[in-house]
């Protein structure tokens, strides 16, 4: 049933884009000569392009959410919270830069992000005591298991 819905949605979207391509964006000006309609079809303005882009969530906001979860679970003190928060901020900013780099292939991006996460884990562990390291490791494993379960559920639904 989901495949049929996907096919119908895909077909409708394709037909919609086809009609915009034939008639031009906003009038007949691009598709049928120069005298019919206005010239909005020449392209979207910079404002429209920026409005269509999803807004990026600042790294500090993401780090804040991560630290809200980690601080009570690992029983972090304020110094540890700040230091680990800074590590996560740097990693997220680096990850964003890697994802935006158009020169890198998808595989290269994936490899660099994996390396970032390894560095992240080492830096975070430097600020934790032995008990906290064990809890941190358990949290990571639990998170990994949750992701695997979600993937299995998605496969079963398809």
């Amino acid at each position: 049933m989901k495949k049929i819905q996907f096919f119908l949605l895909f077909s409708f979207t394709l037909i919609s884009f086809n009609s915009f391509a034939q008639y031009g964006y906003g009038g007949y000006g691009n598709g049928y000569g120069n005298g019919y309609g206005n010239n909005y079809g020449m392209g979207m303005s910079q404002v429209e392009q920026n409005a269509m882009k999803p807004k990026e969530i600042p790294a500090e906001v993401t780090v804040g959410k991560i630290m809200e979860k980690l601080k009570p679970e690992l029983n972090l003190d304020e110094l540890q919270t700040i230091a680990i928060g800074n590590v996560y901020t740097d990693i997220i900013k680096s990850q964003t830069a890697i994802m935006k780099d158009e020169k890198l292939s998808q595989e290269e991006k994936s490899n660099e992000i994996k390396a970032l996460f390894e560095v992240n884990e080492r830096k975070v562990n430097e600020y934790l005591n032995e008990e906290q390291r064990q809890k941190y490791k358990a949290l990571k494993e639990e998170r990994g298991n949750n992701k695997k379960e979600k993937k299995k559920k998605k496969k079963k639904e398809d």
Side-chain angles (χ1 to χ4, degrees), residues 10-144:
F10 178 76
S11 300
F12 176 76
T13 306
L14 187 62
I15 291 169
S16 298
F17 284 124
N18 190 21
S19 25
F20 276 120
Q22 287 181 1
Y23 297 111
Y25 181 74
Y28 290 100
N30 291 327
Y32 290 108
N34 292 326
Y36 303 102
N38 49 28
N39 255 349
Y40 293 126
M42 294 304 286
M44 289 189 280
S45 69
Q46 192 68 23
V47 173
E48 289 173 332
Q49 288 178 352
N50 288 339
M52 292 178 67
K53 290 181 183 176
K55 292 183 181 180
E56 287 187 23
I57 300 171
E60 290 77 14
V61 172
T62 305
V63 170
K65 290 179 181 179
I66 292 170
M67 295 313 295
E68 281 177 13
K69 293 178 183 177
L70 283 182
K71 186 175 179 178
E73 300 232 4
L74 299 179
N75 196 22
L76 300 174
D77 63 28
E78 288 304 313
L79 183 61
Q80 288 175 316
T81 303
I82 292 169
I84 292 171
N86 289 337
V87 170
Y88 273 104
T89 301
D90 292 343
I91 294 297
I92 290 172
K93 287 180 179 179
S94 298
Q95 180 182 1
T96 303
I98 290 170
M99 294 305 292
K100 288 183 178 180
D101 190 354
E102 296 177 3
K103 296 175 188 173
L104 298 175
S105 70
Q106 202 62 28
E107 185 177 333
E108 290 171 326
K109 289 179 183 180
S110 176
N111 290 338
E112 288 202 25
I113 289 173
K114 284 179 186 175
L116 272 177
F117 284 120
E118 290 173 7
V119 169
N120 179 47
E121 187 170 343
R122 272 189 278 127
K123 287 182 178 180
V124 168
N125 281 324
E126 289 175 5
Y127 296 109
L128 301 175
N129 62 36
E130 189 59 38
E131 181 183 334
Q132 291 170 326
R133 284 186 194 118
Q134 296 301 325
K135 289 180 182 178
Y136 183 67
K137 185 177 179 180
L139 285 173
K140 283 180 55 179
E141 289 174 1
E142 181 180 313
R143 188 184 70 209

